Amino acid sequence: MRLSHLYLRAVIFLFISSANLVSEDKFIEVLTPQENRLQTELTLNVVVKADKKSVDAIKIASPLGVIDINLDNSREMQCKNISLRLGENRVVIRSYKNKILVDEKTRDVYVASQLYHQFKYPPQKYSKSYFHNDTNEKSCASCHNMSVNEVKGVAFVDVTKSNCYSCHKNITKEKYAHAPAANWLCTSCHDKKNQSKYFTQEPVNGSCFECHEENQELWSAAKYHHEPLDSGDCSRCHNPHASPYAMFIRKEVNEICLGCHKEQNSRAREKERSGCMGVDESQKCTSCHTPHASNQPFFLKKMVNKVIK
């Protein structure tokens, strides 16, 4: 009886596998992510088109674990938001029928970070890809309202009513959320069109200073400007959506500073010679240095008439 059951399962598997050779997209078609995708966010939307007659379960495997897509048979498209790690991530989307693997699609995704040299320069095969164009949005329109329903400058009373929320909700699930993101005023910053309908201004500080005018005036008047500020790359150190760290910084202060300033890291650790307190867990680089601009060399705060925060 046991052997008969195994034989039947084997026959089913061979039948489905041979069908898959005829049409590799018969079971699932991956709309996003595209192959060899380059991005800077640690979250990823996976969108697949599933043949409901041939597939009754889909699992997504990544370096951080395996997640099920809860199939909704009323929908042609199935989607799931997953978390990634910095660097290379192999995302494997497996489809099943009666608990038998019938199809498998693999996508490599690279999450880059300007803060760390090892993740700053991705391999050549990776390139940015964009989802929000008319063609891709048509595939989602049967389930999602793809229009923008926010009123400029007016926060949602219920953020779940934002048309952006259902697909992108994970980007704000941290302790500290930036006001535009927390209130789902997405087009306050994503208001340019290029390969996507929702590009941000480059350099990004043009968008940042629309709200942070006082900071711009204060920092512009200083004698010395830190390079990320001068290049307009606020998002190098700050996450514009949300972060587990205050002021929306991407990592702990000292980890950010010493990740770029490796020579200063070595000097700081020679505490007896340098006198630097930044190596103590209770002390931060920003206790003595301002990360944006200063009237003193090395962005020191000491003896500055007006402390620049």
Side-chain angles (χ1 to χ4, degrees), residues 88-137:
E88 291 192 274
N89 297 262
R90 174 148 288 185
V91 178
V92 183
I93 303 141
R94 299 185 176 102
S95 56
Y96 298 82
K97 181 69 174 180
N98 299 325
K99 298 184 178 180
I100 298 173
L101 177 67
V102 295
D103 197 7
E104 181 175 288
K105 299 286 193 298
T106 300
R107 297 290 184 268
D108 290 331
V109 180
Y110 193 96
V111 182
S113 172
Q114 295 262 349
L115 288 178
Y116 301 100
H117 189 272
Q118 67 268 38
F119 304 124
K120 189 175 182 179
Y121 303 104
Q124 268 192 328
K125 74 172 187 176
Y126 292 99
S127 60
K128 287 187 176 181
S129 56
Y130 306 95
F131 182 79
H132 281 287
N133 58 50
D134 290 336
T135 302
N136 289 338
E137 287 187 348

Short mmCIF file of all heavy atoms in Angstrom, two decimals, residues 88-137:
data_model
loop_
_atom_site.label_atom_id
_atom_site.label_comp_id
_atom_site.label_asym_id
_atom_site.label_seq_id
_atom_site.Cartn_x
_atom_site.Cartn_y
_atom_site.Cartn_z
N GLU A 88 24.39 40.34 -1.33
CA GLU A 88 23.69 39.44 -2.24
C GLU A 88 22.65 38.60 -1.53
O GLU A 88 22.89 38.07 -0.45
CB GLU A 88 24.69 38.55 -2.96
CG GLU A 88 25.59 39.30 -3.94
CD GLU A 88 26.36 38.39 -4.86
OE1 GLU A 88 27.45 37.94 -4.46
OE2 GLU A 88 25.88 38.13 -5.99
N ASN A 89 21.49 38.50 -2.15
CA ASN A 89 20.39 37.68 -1.64
C ASN A 89 19.88 36.82 -2.79
O ASN A 89 19.51 37.35 -3.83
CB ASN A 89 19.24 38.55 -1.15
CG ASN A 89 19.60 39.43 0.03
OD1 ASN A 89 19.33 39.09 1.17
ND2 ASN A 89 20.22 40.59 -0.25
N ARG A 90 19.86 35.53 -2.58
CA ARG A 90 19.21 34.65 -3.57
C ARG A 90 17.79 34.39 -3.09
O ARG A 90 17.57 33.85 -2.00
CB ARG A 90 19.98 33.34 -3.72
CG ARG A 90 19.28 32.34 -4.62
CD ARG A 90 20.25 31.47 -5.37
NE ARG A 90 20.94 32.23 -6.41
CZ ARG A 90 21.78 31.67 -7.29
NH1 ARG A 90 22.03 30.37 -7.24
NH2 ARG A 90 22.39 32.42 -8.20
N VAL A 91 16.83 34.79 -3.91
CA VAL A 91 15.41 34.61 -3.59
C VAL A 91 14.88 33.49 -4.49
O VAL A 91 14.94 33.59 -5.72
CB VAL A 91 14.62 35.91 -3.82
CG1 VAL A 91 13.15 35.70 -3.53
CG2 VAL A 91 15.18 37.03 -2.95
N VAL A 92 14.39 32.44 -3.86
CA VAL A 92 13.89 31.28 -4.60
C VAL A 92 12.39 31.16 -4.36
O VAL A 92 11.94 31.08 -3.22
CB VAL A 92 14.59 29.98 -4.17
CG1 VAL A 92 14.10 28.80 -5.02
CG2 VAL A 92 16.10 30.13 -4.28
N ILE A 93 11.62 31.17 -5.45
CA ILE A 93 10.16 31.10 -5.37
C ILE A 93 9.74 29.72 -5.86
O ILE A 93 9.91 29.38 -7.03
CB ILE A 93 9.50 32.21 -6.21
CG1 ILE A 93 10.01 33.57 -5.74
CG2 ILE A 93 7.99 32.16 -6.09
CD1 ILE A 93 10.25 34.54 -6.83
N ARG A 94 9.22 28.92 -4.93
CA ARG A 94 8.85 27.54 -5.24
C ARG A 94 7.34 27.37 -5.21
O ARG A 94 6.68 27.84 -4.29
CB ARG A 94 9.51 26.57 -4.25
CG ARG A 94 11.04 26.63 -4.26
CD ARG A 94 11.63 25.57 -3.35
NE ARG A 94 13.09 25.55 -3.43
CZ ARG A 94 13.89 26.09 -2.52
NH1 ARG A 94 13.36 26.68 -1.44
NH2 ARG A 94 15.20 26.05 -2.66
N SER A 95 6.81 26.67 -6.21
CA SER A 95 5.37 26.40 -6.24
C SER A 95 5.13 24.90 -6.10
O SER A 95 5.93 24.07 -6.56
CB SER A 95 4.75 26.93 -7.54
OG SER A 95 5.39 26.37 -8.67
N TYR A 96 4.01 24.59 -5.47
CA TYR A 96 3.70 23.20 -5.13
C TYR A 96 2.27 22.85 -5.55
O TYR A 96 1.40 23.72 -5.61
CB TYR A 96 3.82 22.98 -3.62
CG TYR A 96 5.19 23.21 -3.06
CD1 TYR A 96 5.63 24.50 -2.76
CD2 TYR A 96 6.07 22.15 -2.83
CE1 TYR A 96 6.90 24.72 -2.24
CE2 TYR A 96 7.33 22.35 -2.30
CZ TYR A 96 7.74 23.65 -2.02
OH TYR A 96 8.99 23.86 -1.51
N LYS A 97 2.07 21.57 -5.80
CA LYS A 97 0.74 21.02 -6.02
C LYS A 97 0.65 19.73 -5.21
O LYS A 97 1.47 18.82 -5.38
CB LYS A 97 0.49 20.73 -7.51
CG LYS A 97 -0.90 20.18 -7.80
CD LYS A 97 -1.98 21.22 -7.58
CE LYS A 97 -3.34 20.70 -8.02
NZ LYS A 97 -4.41 21.69 -7.82
N ASN A 98 -0.31 19.68 -4.29
CA ASN A 98 -0.45 18.53 -3.40
C ASN A 98 0.86 18.20 -2.68
O ASN A 98 1.28 17.05 -2.59
CB ASN A 98 -0.93 17.29 -4.18
CG ASN A 98 -2.28 17.51 -4.82
OD1 ASN A 98 -3.15 18.18 -4.25
ND2 ASN A 98 -2.48 16.96 -6.01
N LYS A 99 1.53 19.28 -2.23
CA LYS A 99 2.78 19.20 -1.47
C LYS A 99 3.97 18.72 -2.29
O LYS A 99 5.02 18.41 -1.75
CB LYS A 99 2.61 18.32 -0.22
CG LYS A 99 1.58 18.85 0.75
CD LYS A 99 1.51 18.00 2.01
CE LYS A 99 0.50 18.58 2.99
NZ LYS A 99 0.41 17.78 4.23
N ILE A 100 3.80 18.64 -3.60
CA ILE A 100 4.91 18.24 -4.49
C ILE A 100 5.43 19.48 -5.20
O ILE A 100 4.65 20.26 -5.76
CB ILE A 100 4.44 17.20 -5.52
CG1 ILE A 100 3.97 15.93 -4.82
CG2 ILE A 100 5.55 16.88 -6.51
CD1 ILE A 100 3.33 14.91 -5.76
N LEU A 101 6.75 19.65 -5.20
CA LEU A 101 7.36 20.78 -5.90
C LEU A 101 7.16 20.64 -7.40
O LEU A 101 7.54 19.62 -7.98
CB LEU A 101 8.86 20.84 -5.57
CG LEU A 101 9.67 21.92 -6.29
CD1 LEU A 101 9.25 23.31 -5.81
CD2 LEU A 101 11.17 21.72 -6.05
N VAL A 102 6.55 21.64 -8.02
CA VAL A 102 6.29 21.57 -9.45
C VAL A 102 7.04 22.64 -10.24
O VAL A 102 7.16 22.53 -11.46
CB VAL A 102 4.78 21.67 -9.75
CG1 VAL A 102 4.03 20.48 -9.17
CG2 VAL A 102 4.20 22.98 -9.22
N ASP A 103 7.51 23.67 -9.58
CA ASP A 103 8.20 24.75 -10.31
C ASP A 103 9.08 25.53 -9.34
O ASP A 103 8.78 25.61 -8.14
CB ASP A 103 7.18 25.68 -10.96
CG ASP A 103 7.80 26.55 -12.05
OD1 ASP A 103 8.99 26.34 -12.37
OD2 ASP A 103 7.12 27.44 -12.56
N GLU A 104 10.13 26.11 -9.88
CA GLU A 104 11.04 26.90 -9.04
C GLU A 104 11.65 28.02 -9.89
O GLU A 104 12.13 27.78 -10.99
CB GLU A 104 12.15 25.99 -8.49
CG GLU A 104 13.14 26.70 -7.60
CD GLU A 104 14.15 25.72 -6.99
OE1 GLU A 104 13.75 24.95 -6.10
OE2 GLU A 104 15.32 25.73 -7.42
N LYS A 105 11.57 29.23 -9.37
CA LYS A 105 12.16 30.39 -10.03
C LYS A 105 13.16 31.03 -9.06
O LYS A 105 12.87 31.18 -7.87
CB LYS A 105 11.09 31.41 -10.41
CG LYS A 105 10.04 30.91 -11.38
CD LYS A 105 10.61 30.80 -12.79
CE LYS A 105 9.50 30.61 -13.82
NZ LYS A 105 8.71 29.39 -13.64
N THR A 106 14.31 31.43 -9.59
CA THR A 106 15.35 32.03 -8.76
C THR A 106 15.63 33.45 -9.23
O THR A 106 15.73 33.72 -10.43
CB THR A 106 16.66 31.21 -8.84
OG1 THR A 106 16.39 29.88 -8.37
CG2 THR A 106 17.73 31.83 -7.96
N ARG A 107 15.74 34.35 -8.29
CA ARG A 107 16.10 35.74 -8.56
C ARG A 107 17.21 36.17 -7.60
O ARG A 107 17.11 35.92 -6.39
CB ARG A 107 14.90 36.67 -8.39
CG ARG A 107 13.74 36.41 -9.35
CD ARG A 107 14.11 36.80 -10.76
NE ARG A 107 13.00 36.66 -11.68
CZ ARG A 107 12.75 35.57 -12.40
NH1 ARG A 107 13.55 34.51 -12.26
NH2 ARG A 107 11.74 35.52 -13.24
N ASP A 108 18.25 36.79 -8.14
CA ASP A 108 19.32 37.33 -7.31
C ASP A 108 19.09 38.82 -7.12
O ASP A 108 18.87 39.56 -8.09
CB ASP A 108 20.69 37.10 -7.96
CG ASP A 108 21.08 35.63 -7.95
OD1 ASP A 108 20.64 34.91 -7.03
OD2 ASP A 108 21.82 35.19 -8.85
N VAL A 109 19.13 39.26 -5.87
CA VAL A 109 18.88 40.66 -5.52
C VAL A 109 20.04 41.16 -4.67
O VAL A 109 20.47 40.49 -3.72
CB VAL A 109 17.56 40.80 -4.73
CG1 VAL A 109 17.31 42.26 -4.38
CG2 VAL A 109 16.39 40.24 -5.53
N TYR A 110 20.54 42.34 -5.01
CA TYR A 110 21.65 42.92 -4.25
C TYR A 110 21.17 44.19 -3.55
O TYR A 110 20.62 45.09 -4.19
CB TYR A 110 22.82 43.27 -5.18
CG TYR A 110 24.11 43.58 -4.43
CD1 TYR A 110 25.07 42.59 -4.24
CD2 TYR A 110 24.35 44.85 -3.89
CE1 TYR A 110 26.25 42.85 -3.56
CE2 TYR A 110 25.53 45.11 -3.19
CZ TYR A 110 26.46 44.11 -3.03
OH TYR A 110 27.63 44.37 -2.33
N VAL A 111 21.36 44.23 -2.22
CA VAL A 111 21.02 45.42 -1.44
C VAL A 111 22.32 46.18 -1.16
O VAL A 111 23.19 45.69 -0.44
CB VAL A 111 20.32 45.06 -0.12
CG1 VAL A 111 19.94 46.34 0.62
CG2 VAL A 111 19.08 44.22 -0.38
N ALA A 112 22.45 47.36 -1.77
CA ALA A 112 23.68 48.15 -1.65
C ALA A 112 23.57 49.14 -0.49
O ALA A 112 22.48 49.54 -0.09
CB ALA A 112 23.94 48.90 -2.95
N SER A 113 24.72 49.52 0.05
CA SER A 113 24.77 50.53 1.10
C SER A 113 26.02 51.38 0.93
O SER A 113 27.12 50.84 0.80
CB SER A 113 24.80 49.87 2.49
OG SER A 113 25.03 50.85 3.49
N GLN A 114 25.83 52.69 0.91
CA GLN A 114 26.97 53.61 0.78
C GLN A 114 27.80 53.65 2.06
O GLN A 114 28.93 54.12 2.06
CB GLN A 114 26.45 55.03 0.50
CG GLN A 114 25.73 55.16 -0.82
CD GLN A 114 26.62 55.72 -1.92
OE1 GLN A 114 27.72 56.20 -1.66
NE2 GLN A 114 26.15 55.65 -3.14
N LEU A 115 27.24 53.14 3.15
CA LEU A 115 27.93 53.24 4.44
C LEU A 115 29.05 52.23 4.61
O LEU A 115 29.95 52.44 5.41
CB LEU A 115 26.93 53.06 5.59
CG LEU A 115 25.95 54.20 5.83
CD1 LEU A 115 25.00 53.85 6.95
CD2 LEU A 115 26.71 55.49 6.17
N TYR A 116 28.98 51.13 3.90
CA TYR A 116 29.95 50.06 4.09
C TYR A 116 30.63 49.73 2.78
O TYR A 116 29.95 49.45 1.78
CB TYR A 116 29.26 48.82 4.66
CG TYR A 116 28.58 49.11 5.97
CD1 TYR A 116 27.21 49.34 6.03
CD2 TYR A 116 29.31 49.20 7.15
CE1 TYR A 116 26.59 49.63 7.23
CE2 TYR A 116 28.70 49.50 8.35
CZ TYR A 116 27.34 49.71 8.39
OH TYR A 116 26.73 50.01 9.57
N HIS A 117 31.94 49.76 2.79
CA HIS A 117 32.70 49.56 1.57
C HIS A 117 32.37 48.22 0.92
O HIS A 117 32.29 48.11 -0.31
CB HIS A 117 34.20 49.64 1.87
CG HIS A 117 35.05 49.66 0.63
ND1 HIS A 117 35.50 48.51 0.02
CD2 HIS A 117 35.49 50.70 -0.12
CE1 HIS A 117 36.21 48.84 -1.05
NE2 HIS A 117 36.23 50.15 -1.16
N GLN A 118 32.15 47.18 1.75
CA GLN A 118 31.90 45.85 1.18
C GLN A 118 30.57 45.74 0.47
O GLN A 118 30.34 44.81 -0.31
CB GLN A 118 32.02 44.77 2.27
CG GLN A 118 30.95 44.80 3.35
CD GLN A 118 31.35 45.64 4.56
OE1 GLN A 118 31.97 46.68 4.41
NE2 GLN A 118 30.99 45.14 5.74
N PHE A 119 29.66 46.69 0.73
CA PHE A 119 28.35 46.65 0.08
C PHE A 119 28.12 47.87 -0.83
O PHE A 119 27.03 48.05 -1.36
CB PHE A 119 27.23 46.61 1.12
CG PHE A 119 27.34 45.46 2.08
CD1 PHE A 119 27.39 45.69 3.44
CD2 PHE A 119 27.42 44.16 1.61
CE1 PHE A 119 27.50 44.63 4.33
CE2 PHE A 119 27.52 43.09 2.50
CZ PHE A 119 27.56 43.33 3.86
N LYS A 120 29.15 48.67 -1.00
CA LYS A 120 29.02 49.91 -1.77
C LYS A 120 29.08 49.67 -3.27
O LYS A 120 28.42 50.38 -4.05
CB LYS A 120 30.12 50.88 -1.34
CG LYS A 120 29.97 52.28 -1.89
CD LYS A 120 31.03 53.21 -1.31
CE LYS A 120 30.89 54.62 -1.80
NZ LYS A 120 31.92 55.52 -1.22
N TYR A 121 29.85 48.68 -3.68
CA TYR A 121 30.07 48.44 -5.11
C TYR A 121 29.58 47.03 -5.49
O TYR A 121 30.32 46.06 -5.34
CB TYR A 121 31.54 48.60 -5.46
CG TYR A 121 32.09 49.95 -5.10
CD1 TYR A 121 32.91 50.12 -3.97
CD2 TYR A 121 31.78 51.08 -5.85
CE1 TYR A 121 33.40 51.37 -3.63
CE2 TYR A 121 32.27 52.33 -5.51
CZ TYR A 121 33.08 52.46 -4.39
OH TYR A 121 33.56 53.70 -4.04
N PRO A 122 28.35 46.91 -5.96
CA PRO A 122 27.81 45.59 -6.29
C PRO A 122 28.48 45.02 -7.53
O PRO A 122 29.02 45.77 -8.36
CB PRO A 122 26.32 45.88 -6.56
CG PRO A 122 26.29 47.32 -6.96
CD PRO A 122 27.38 48.00 -6.17
N PRO A 123 28.44 43.70 -7.70
CA PRO A 123 28.96 43.09 -8.94
C PRO A 123 28.25 43.66 -10.16
O PRO A 123 27.09 44.11 -10.09
CB PRO A 123 28.62 41.60 -8.75
CG PRO A 123 28.57 41.41 -7.26
CD PRO A 123 28.01 42.69 -6.72
N GLN A 124 28.93 43.63 -11.29
CA GLN A 124 28.44 44.28 -12.52
C GLN A 124 27.10 43.75 -13.00
O GLN A 124 26.35 44.46 -13.66
CB GLN A 124 29.47 44.13 -13.64
CG GLN A 124 30.44 45.30 -13.71
CD GLN A 124 31.24 45.27 -15.00
OE1 GLN A 124 31.52 44.21 -15.54
NE2 GLN A 124 31.61 46.43 -15.50
N LYS A 125 26.78 42.53 -12.67
CA LYS A 125 25.55 41.93 -13.21
C LYS A 125 24.29 42.59 -12.65
O LYS A 125 23.21 42.45 -13.24
CB LYS A 125 25.51 40.43 -12.95
CG LYS A 125 25.22 40.02 -11.52
CD LYS A 125 25.02 38.52 -11.43
CE LYS A 125 24.55 38.09 -10.03
NZ LYS A 125 24.26 36.65 -9.96
N TYR A 126 24.40 43.31 -11.54
CA TYR A 126 23.21 43.89 -10.91
C TYR A 126 22.91 45.28 -11.47
O TYR A 126 23.81 46.08 -11.71
CB TYR A 126 23.40 43.98 -9.40
CG TYR A 126 23.45 42.63 -8.72
CD1 TYR A 126 24.67 42.04 -8.39
CD2 TYR A 126 22.29 41.94 -8.42
CE1 TYR A 126 24.72 40.80 -7.79
CE2 TYR A 126 22.33 40.69 -7.82
CZ TYR A 126 23.55 40.13 -7.50
OH TYR A 126 23.59 38.89 -6.90
N SER A 127 21.63 45.57 -11.66
CA SER A 127 21.22 46.89 -12.12
C SER A 127 19.85 47.23 -11.51
O SER A 127 19.07 46.33 -11.15
CB SER A 127 21.13 46.94 -13.64
OG SER A 127 20.19 45.99 -14.11
N LYS A 128 19.56 48.50 -11.42
CA LYS A 128 18.29 48.94 -10.86
C LYS A 128 17.16 48.61 -11.83
O LYS A 128 17.31 48.74 -13.04
CB LYS A 128 18.32 50.45 -10.57
CG LYS A 128 19.16 50.81 -9.37
CD LYS A 128 19.01 52.29 -9.04
CE LYS A 128 19.79 52.64 -7.77
NZ LYS A 128 19.63 54.08 -7.43
N SER A 129 16.06 48.19 -11.27
CA SER A 129 14.86 47.94 -12.07
C SER A 129 13.68 48.59 -11.37
O SER A 129 13.70 48.78 -10.16
CB SER A 129 14.63 46.44 -12.27
OG SER A 129 14.55 45.78 -11.02
N TYR A 130 12.67 48.91 -12.13
CA TYR A 130 11.57 49.72 -11.58
C TYR A 130 10.23 49.08 -11.93
O TYR A 130 10.03 48.60 -13.05
CB TYR A 130 11.64 51.14 -12.13
CG TYR A 130 13.00 51.78 -11.89
CD1 TYR A 130 13.98 51.75 -12.88
CD2 TYR A 130 13.30 52.36 -10.68
CE1 TYR A 130 15.23 52.30 -12.66
CE2 TYR A 130 14.54 52.92 -10.44
CZ TYR A 130 15.51 52.88 -11.44
OH TYR A 130 16.75 53.43 -11.21
N PHE A 131 9.33 49.09 -10.98
CA PHE A 131 8.05 48.41 -11.16
C PHE A 131 6.95 49.33 -11.65
O PHE A 131 6.11 48.96 -12.47
CB PHE A 131 7.61 47.75 -9.85
CG PHE A 131 6.33 46.98 -9.99
CD1 PHE A 131 6.32 45.72 -10.56
CD2 PHE A 131 5.12 47.53 -9.59
CE1 PHE A 131 5.13 45.01 -10.71
CE2 PHE A 131 3.94 46.83 -9.73
CZ PHE A 131 3.93 45.57 -10.30
N HIS A 132 6.92 50.56 -11.14
CA HIS A 132 5.77 51.43 -11.38
C HIS A 132 5.80 52.08 -12.76
O HIS A 132 6.23 53.21 -12.94
CB HIS A 132 5.67 52.50 -10.29
CG HIS A 132 5.10 51.97 -9.01
ND1 HIS A 132 3.77 51.67 -8.85
CD2 HIS A 132 5.69 51.68 -7.82
CE1 HIS A 132 3.56 51.22 -7.62
NE2 HIS A 132 4.70 51.21 -6.98
N ASN A 133 5.32 51.32 -13.73
CA ASN A 133 5.02 51.87 -15.06
C ASN A 133 3.65 51.33 -15.48
O ASN A 133 3.08 50.46 -14.82
CB ASN A 133 6.12 51.50 -16.07
CG ASN A 133 6.32 50.01 -16.20
OD1 ASN A 133 5.37 49.26 -16.38
ND2 ASN A 133 7.58 49.56 -16.10
N ASP A 134 3.11 51.84 -16.55
CA ASP A 134 1.75 51.49 -16.95
C ASP A 134 1.57 50.00 -17.20
O ASP A 134 0.56 49.40 -16.81
CB ASP A 134 1.35 52.27 -18.21
CG ASP A 134 1.16 53.76 -17.92
OD1 ASP A 134 0.87 54.10 -16.76
OD2 ASP A 134 1.30 54.56 -18.87
N THR A 135 2.57 49.37 -17.82
CA THR A 135 2.46 47.94 -18.14
C THR A 135 2.39 47.10 -16.88
O THR A 135 1.51 46.24 -16.74
CB THR A 135 3.67 47.50 -19.00
OG1 THR A 135 3.70 48.28 -20.19
CG2 THR A 135 3.55 46.03 -19.35
N ASN A 136 3.33 47.30 -15.95
CA ASN A 136 3.34 46.50 -14.73
C ASN A 136 2.12 46.77 -13.86
O ASN A 136 1.57 45.86 -13.24
CB ASN A 136 4.62 46.78 -13.93
CG ASN A 136 5.85 46.21 -14.59
OD1 ASN A 136 5.76 45.29 -15.40
ND2 ASN A 136 7.00 46.76 -14.27
N GLU A 137 1.72 48.01 -13.80
CA GLU A 137 0.59 48.35 -12.93
C GLU A 137 -0.72 47.73 -13.41
O GLU A 137 -1.60 47.44 -12.59
CB GLU A 137 0.45 49.87 -12.82
CG GLU A 137 1.54 50.50 -11.96
CD GLU A 137 1.31 51.98 -11.71
OE1 GLU A 137 0.43 52.58 -12.37
OE2 GLU A 137 1.99 52.54 -10.85
#
